[in-house]
Amino acid sequence: MTEPGLFELEAVVVGQPERSRWRRYVGPALAVSTVEGTLLAQVTHTDDTHSLLAKASGECIVRIKRRSRFGQFGPVWFHFTDSADSEVGTAVARGVVKTLRLTLQTEQGRQLLLTRWGHLSAEWLLTETDPRRSPAPEILGRVTVSSGDAWLGLQRYVVETNPRLNAFERRTVVASVVCLHLLRRPPGDSAAPA
């Protein structure tokens, strides 16, 4: 198994680490920590299509590969692989606003949806069925985004999951939150979040 406790936790924070306002930042793109702030893992981008979720020691937990057709107009696929290059999950973003819904598939083949109600909503719901079509879907988790620094606009995602999700499903959810951040703020892009 990967980092002890990382995917057993019901709540983690995925966020952009603090950085100096006066010099170029060269650290990890994102940090995964407990709600109390204990660092569990870091995310680095090797280029615009490859990201690595790794322990602080550098040991690979999940590799994320981004693939798309037709540039920004077509669907975007994310493939998650482990250190042995075995696929351990996927996420797909479709539509004009790619950050409204991600369709996830876990290593065991379970399909999940990470959906937000509107473009300005700061919360995504994790469900098995479409919350817009199902009157009362079971909520398996929530992802809430906020700004950790108003001046720099650093993003912070609190990921809360149902105790019934297993470690493999939580791994897919955490990796998909990295994908949400990539869709909202691609590496090297200083544009406002979507």
Side-chain angles (χ1 to χ4, degrees):
M1 188 68 191
T2 55
E3 180 81 22
L6 173 57
F7 301 119
E8 281 80 26
L9 295 172
E10 292 176 20
V12 295
V13 176
V14 178
Q16 292 178 284
E18 290 186 22
R19 51 201 71 191
S20 169
R21 294 178 173 97
W22 313 116
R23 58 190 164 97
R24 185 169 165 77
Y25 177 74
V26 293
L30 297 169
V32 181
S33 60
T34 63
V35 175
E36 294 79 24
T38 304
L39 181 66
L40 300 169
Q42 299 174 334
V43 177
T44 55
H45 306 305
T46 53
D47 56 35
D48 286 348
T49 59
H50 293 82
S51 300
L52 175 68
L53 172 62
K55 296 179 185 179
S57 65
E59 182 182 339
C60 173
I61 299 173
V62 176
R63 287 187 183 94
I64 301 170
K65 181 179 181 184
R66 177 183 178 151
R67 188 172 54 92
S68 63
R69 287 190 205 156
F70 313 116
Q72 64 183 354
F73 301 106
V76 179
W77 291 272
F78 295 94
H79 295 273
F80 311 142
T81 57
D82 61 13
S83 57
D85 280 334
S86 300
E87 190 165 290
V88 294
T90 60
V92 180
R94 292 185 170 87
V96 177
V97 181
K98 303 282 189 281
T99 59
L100 287 179
R101 171 180 297 156
L102 261 66
T103 304
L104 316 178
Q105 184 162 338
T106 67
E107 185 175 353
Q108 293 94 7
R110 185 176 184 184
Q111 290 232 312
L112 299 170
L113 297 172
L114 199 53
T115 309
R116 68 176 169 163
W117 289 107
H119 184 66
L120 299 177
S121 176
E123 180 180 75
W124 287 262
L125 298 179
L126 181 68
T127 58
E128 283 187 295
T129 58
D130 186 348
R132 293 182 179 127
R133 294 187 181 155
S134 177
E138 181 183 8
I139 306 299
L140 300 172
R142 295 178 196 285
V143 176
T144 308
V145 66
S146 62
S147 180
D149 181 314
W151 195 68
L152 293 177
L154 301 180
Q155 300 296 292
R156 182 177 186 266
Y157 304 82
V158 177
V159 183
E160 300 169 291
T161 55
N162 189 304
R164 294 187 308 135
L165 290 182
N166 65 37
F168 301 109
E169 293 163 341
R170 285 194 179 112
R171 176 175 59 188
T172 301
V173 173
V174 169
S176 70
V177 171
V178 173
C179 299
L180 274 177
H181 183 75
L182 289 171
L183 290 167
R184 297 179 79 230
R185 291 212 166 167
D189 186 23
S190 61

